[in-house]
Amino acid sequence: MAAAAELKLLEKSLGLSRGNKYSAQGERQIPVLQTNNGPSLTGLTTIATHLVKEANKEYLLGSTAEEKATVQQWLEYRVTRVDRQSSKEDIHTLLKDLNLYLEDKVYLTGYNFTLADILLYYGLHRFIVDLTVQEKEKYLNVSRWFCHIQHYPGVRQHLSSVVFIKNRLYTNSH
C-alpha cells in the first residue's frame, strides 16, 4: 500500500477530516503533505507524527521518555526494514525477529497502544494477508499482535480482515 494511502487511513483513524493533500516524490515515492499554514512535510513518520499531534492524541507517541524513544525506534524500523523488504526470505526473517520480540508484549512498546503499532500494522498487512495458516502458526506472537491491532477501533478501515484460526481441533481417538 502506498504511504499516502496509509496516511489517509491514519487520518481517518485519528478522527481527522481535514482533507489533507498528499503527493509522493522521488523514485521511492516518499509521501509529502502540503499543510495549510506552513511548509510541506516529507516522510511517512514525520507526517504521521504531525497528524497525531494535530488530532490531540499525543499519547499515541508514548507517555514516558523511554516509551517515546521506543515508538520512534519502531517508526524508524518500519521505514528502514519493513518498507524495504522484497524477497519472501527477507519477509520471513523480519517476521521471525518480530515474533521473538513480541513474545512477552501486547503492543510494540509493551502495554500501551501507540502510533508504532498502527504504522507497523499498515506496513505488514500486505505480507500477513498472504501467509498460509501454517506460517501464521509459526509466527504466533506476530499473529496474536496483528489480530489484536486489526480489531482495534478505527485501525483496519477498508483493509481486508486477516483470518486467524484461534482453536485447534483434535480428534479423540478413543
Side-chain angles (χ1 to χ4, degrees):
M1 171 173 31
E6 286 182 48
L7 290 166
K8 283 287 188 191
L9 286 177
L10 177 63
E11 226 179 51
K12 282 184 179 179
S13 73
L14 294 172
L16 294 172
S17 56
R18 291 183 172 73
N20 285 323
K21 300 282 187 260
Y22 297 97
S23 60
Q25 73 180 29
E27 187 179 311
R28 302 209 49 225
Q29 294 294 291
I30 296 170
V32 177
L33 166 65
Q34 183 56 56
T35 59
N36 294 333
N37 53 356
S40 60
L41 300 175
T42 304
L44 178 67
T45 60
T46 300
I47 296 169
T49 301
H50 168 76
L51 292 174
V52 165
K53 290 178 180 178
E54 200 174 54
N56 291 319
K57 296 189 176 183
E58 293 194 32
Y59 62 88
L60 289 173
L61 301 175
S63 53
T64 65
E66 184 178 305
E67 195 173 68
K68 287 176 184 182
T70 304
V71 169
Q72 287 304 309
Q73 170 188 300
W74 282 105
L75 295 179
E76 191 174 312
Y77 179 88
R78 161 61 207 275
V79 172
T80 60
R81 297 280 316 276
V82 176
D83 290 354
R84 296 188 179 164
Q85 298 308 314
S86 54
S87 76
K88 200 159 176 77
E89 186 179 304
D90 289 344
I91 293 158
H92 285 287
T93 300
L94 184 139
L95 291 174
K96 181 181 172 191
D97 293 344
L98 185 58
N99 195 60
L100 189 62
Y101 177 81
L102 287 169
E103 195 170 51
D104 61 348
K105 293 170 186 65
V106 178
Y107 300 106
L108 292 170
T109 60
Y111 296 104
N112 295 315
F113 176 75
T114 65
L115 178 61
D117 294 293
I118 298 170
L119 288 189
L120 196 60
Y121 166 80
Y122 290 156
L124 289 175
H125 187 276
R126 64 190 168 122
F127 304 126
I128 302 291
V129 77
D130 290 333
L131 293 180
T132 65
V133 171
Q134 292 80 9
E135 288 170 325
K136 289 175 191 169
E137 287 183 3
K138 181 178 179 184
Y139 306 117
L140 201 57
N141 299 318
V142 172
S143 294
R144 170 188 45 79
W145 169 83
F146 190 91
C147 188
H148 185 62
I149 300 303
Q150 82 174 347
H151 288 98
Y152 204 90
V155 173
R156 186 171 56 85
Q157 309 266 336
H158 72 275
L159 295 176
S160 61
S161 181
V162 178
V163 177
F164 296 90
I165 297 175
K166 291 181 173 40
N167 297 321
R168 295 186 201 171
L169 299 176
Y170 296 96
T171 57
N172 194 343
S173 58
H174 293 61

